[in-house]
Amino acid sequence: MSVRRLAKEQPASFAFSKATKTKCDWWIAKYPIDRRQSAVIPILWLVQKQEGWVSEPAIRAIAELLDMPKIRVLEVTTFYTMFHLSPVGKHHFQLCGTTPCVLRGAEELKEVCRRRIGRKHEVSADGLFSWEE
Protein backbone atom coordinates (compact mmCIF):
# COMPACT_ATOMS: atom_id res chain seq x y z
CA MET A 1 0.00 0.00 0.00
CA SER A 2 1.29 3.43 -0.83
CA VAL A 3 1.88 6.18 1.67
CA ARG A 4 -1.21 8.35 2.07
CA ARG A 5 -0.62 12.06 2.63
CA LEU A 6 -2.80 15.13 2.87
CA ALA A 7 -3.06 17.31 -0.23
CA LYS A 8 -0.39 20.02 -0.53
CA GLU A 9 -3.00 22.72 -1.10
CA GLN A 10 -5.41 23.06 1.80
CA PRO A 11 -8.36 25.40 2.40
CA ALA A 12 -7.84 28.15 4.95
CA SER A 13 -10.64 26.93 7.22
CA PHE A 14 -13.45 24.45 7.72
CA ALA A 15 -16.90 24.81 9.25
CA PHE A 16 -19.51 22.15 9.87
CA SER A 17 -22.78 22.82 8.07
CA LYS A 18 -25.83 22.93 10.32
CA ALA A 19 -27.03 19.53 9.03
CA THR A 20 -23.60 17.93 9.44
CA LYS A 21 -23.21 19.32 12.97
CA THR A 22 -26.63 17.94 13.93
CA LYS A 23 -25.64 14.49 12.66
CA CYS A 24 -22.26 14.74 14.44
CA ASP A 25 -24.02 15.52 17.71
CA TRP A 26 -26.29 12.51 17.15
CA TRP A 27 -23.28 10.22 16.66
CA ILE A 28 -21.45 11.62 19.68
CA ALA A 29 -24.54 11.08 21.86
CA LYS A 30 -24.45 7.36 21.03
CA TYR A 31 -21.28 6.92 23.11
CA PRO A 32 -20.52 7.48 26.80
CA ILE A 33 -18.93 10.89 27.41
CA ASP A 34 -15.50 9.34 28.05
CA ARG A 35 -15.73 7.37 24.77
CA ARG A 36 -16.83 10.16 22.45
CA GLN A 37 -13.71 9.61 20.30
CA SER A 38 -15.39 6.42 19.07
CA ALA A 39 -17.47 8.63 16.77
CA VAL A 40 -14.41 9.65 14.74
CA ILE A 41 -15.10 7.40 11.73
CA PRO A 42 -18.77 8.37 11.25
CA ILE A 43 -17.86 12.04 11.71
CA LEU A 44 -15.05 11.79 9.16
CA TRP A 45 -17.57 10.23 6.79
CA LEU A 46 -20.03 13.08 7.38
CA VAL A 47 -17.32 15.67 6.71
CA GLN A 48 -16.36 13.90 3.50
CA LYS A 49 -20.02 13.89 2.42
CA GLN A 50 -20.17 17.63 3.12
CA GLU A 51 -16.90 18.65 1.46
CA GLY A 52 -16.12 15.81 -0.95
CA TRP A 53 -12.82 15.13 0.84
CA VAL A 54 -11.20 15.47 4.28
CA SER A 55 -8.93 18.50 4.60
CA GLU A 56 -6.43 19.35 7.35
CA PRO A 57 -8.66 22.12 8.78
CA ALA A 58 -11.50 19.58 8.94
CA ILE A 59 -9.25 17.16 10.81
CA ARG A 60 -8.47 19.91 13.33
CA ALA A 61 -12.19 20.70 13.73
CA ILE A 62 -13.03 17.02 14.28
CA ALA A 63 -10.25 16.67 16.85
CA GLU A 64 -11.58 19.71 18.71
CA LEU A 65 -15.16 18.46 18.52
CA LEU A 66 -14.20 15.05 19.94
CA ASP A 67 -11.64 16.40 22.40
CA MET A 68 -8.86 14.23 21.04
CA PRO A 69 -5.35 14.91 19.66
CA LYS A 70 -5.24 15.96 16.02
CA ILE A 71 -2.70 13.23 15.27
CA ARG A 72 -5.22 10.54 16.28
CA VAL A 73 -7.78 11.84 13.79
CA LEU A 74 -5.05 12.07 11.14
CA GLU A 75 -4.03 8.45 11.85
CA VAL A 76 -7.58 7.22 11.28
CA THR A 77 -7.98 9.36 8.16
CA THR A 78 -4.77 8.14 6.54
CA PHE A 79 -5.32 4.50 7.52
CA TYR A 80 -8.70 4.02 5.84
CA THR A 81 -8.68 4.37 2.04
CA MET A 82 -12.38 5.29 2.04
CA PHE A 83 -11.36 8.80 3.14
CA HIS A 84 -10.14 11.08 0.36
CA LEU A 85 -7.15 13.20 1.37
CA SER A 86 -7.39 15.53 -1.62
CA PRO A 87 -10.22 16.79 -3.83
CA VAL A 88 -11.75 14.14 -6.09
CA GLY A 89 -14.01 14.24 -9.12
CA LYS A 90 -17.73 13.54 -9.03
CA HIS A 91 -16.89 10.04 -10.28
CA HIS A 92 -13.84 8.66 -8.45
CA PHE A 93 -12.29 5.31 -9.41
CA GLN A 94 -10.05 3.14 -7.27
CA LEU A 95 -8.01 0.55 -9.14
CA CYS A 96 -6.19 -2.39 -7.61
CA GLY A 97 -2.48 -2.69 -8.40
CA THR A 98 -1.67 -5.98 -6.66
CA THR A 99 -0.02 -8.83 -8.57
CA PRO A 100 -3.24 -10.80 -9.21
CA CYS A 101 -4.94 -7.68 -10.58
CA VAL A 102 -1.96 -6.80 -12.75
CA LEU A 103 -2.05 -10.34 -14.17
CA ARG A 104 -5.73 -9.76 -15.04
CA GLY A 105 -5.14 -6.46 -16.86
CA ALA A 106 -4.92 -3.72 -14.21
CA GLU A 107 -2.01 -2.02 -16.00
CA GLU A 108 -4.13 -1.61 -19.13
CA LEU A 109 -6.95 -0.10 -17.04
CA LYS A 110 -4.52 2.31 -15.42
CA GLU A 111 -3.27 3.37 -18.84
CA VAL A 112 -6.85 4.06 -19.96
CA CYS A 113 -7.36 6.20 -16.84
CA ARG A 114 -4.10 8.11 -17.49
CA ARG A 115 -5.08 8.74 -21.09
CA ARG A 116 -8.75 9.64 -20.54
CA ILE A 117 -8.69 11.27 -17.05
CA GLY A 118 -5.11 12.31 -16.32
CA ARG A 119 -2.56 11.44 -13.68
CA LYS A 120 -3.71 9.64 -10.56
CA HIS A 121 -4.86 11.80 -7.63
CA GLU A 122 -5.71 14.62 -10.03
CA VAL A 123 -9.20 15.73 -11.04
CA SER A 124 -10.02 15.91 -14.76
CA ALA A 125 -10.35 19.35 -16.36
CA ASP A 126 -14.16 19.17 -16.25
CA GLY A 127 -14.11 18.19 -12.55
CA LEU A 128 -16.04 15.00 -13.18
CA PHE A 129 -13.42 12.27 -12.91
CA SER A 130 -10.45 11.23 -10.78
CA TRP A 131 -8.71 7.97 -10.01
CA GLU A 132 -6.19 6.35 -7.71
CA GLU A 133 -4.47 3.02 -7.33
Side-chain angles (χ1 to χ4, degrees):
M1 185 169 170
S2 64
V3 175
R4 292 175 36 86
R5 301 191 192 287
L6 295 173
K8 290 181 182 179
E9 293 183 31
Q10 295 286 328
S13 63
F14 168 81
F16 292 102
S17 70
K18 187 176 180 178
T20 300
K21 182 66 167 79
T22 301
K23 290 177 185 174
C24 288
D25 292 340
W26 182 82
W27 275 104
I28 291 168
K30 292 183 81 155
Y31 299 97
I33 195 73
D34 61 329
R35 298 282 184 214
R36 66 188 298 146
Q37 292 96 356
S38 299
V40 68
I41 291 177
I43 291 175
L44 280 164
W45 190 252
L46 290 170
V47 165
Q48 182 166 285
K49 275 181 68 176
Q50 176 184 315
E51 300 292 312
W53 64 296
V54 181
S55 65
E56 194 272 335
I59 289 171
R60 281 189 275 124
I62 294 167
E64 185 177 317
L65 179 68
L66 297 176
D67 192 31
M68 61 190 291
K70 180 185 125 184
I71 189 66
R72 297 290 177 230
V73 180
L74 181 63
E75 287 171 346
V76 173
T77 310
T78 57
F79 179 79
Y80 292 103
T81 57
M82 65 188 198
F83 297 120
H84 304 299
L85 304 177
S86 60
V88 296
K90 181 178 179 184
H91 307 287
H92 182 72
F93 302 96
Q94 293 179 320
L95 300 175
C96 179
T98 62
T99 302
C101 291
V102 168
L103 293 173
R104 299 288 298 161
E107 289 301 319
E108 290 83 6
L109 286 174
K110 285 190 260 183
E111 186 53 41
V112 169
C113 287
R114 281 187 206 99
R115 193 173 59 251
R116 308 270 321 256
I117 299 172
R119 297 189 337 216
K120 64 181 167 181
H121 301 292
E122 290 185 3
V123 180
S124 62
D126 58 9
L128 290 177
F129 300 98
S130 61
W131 72 282
E132 67 180 306
E133 182 178 338

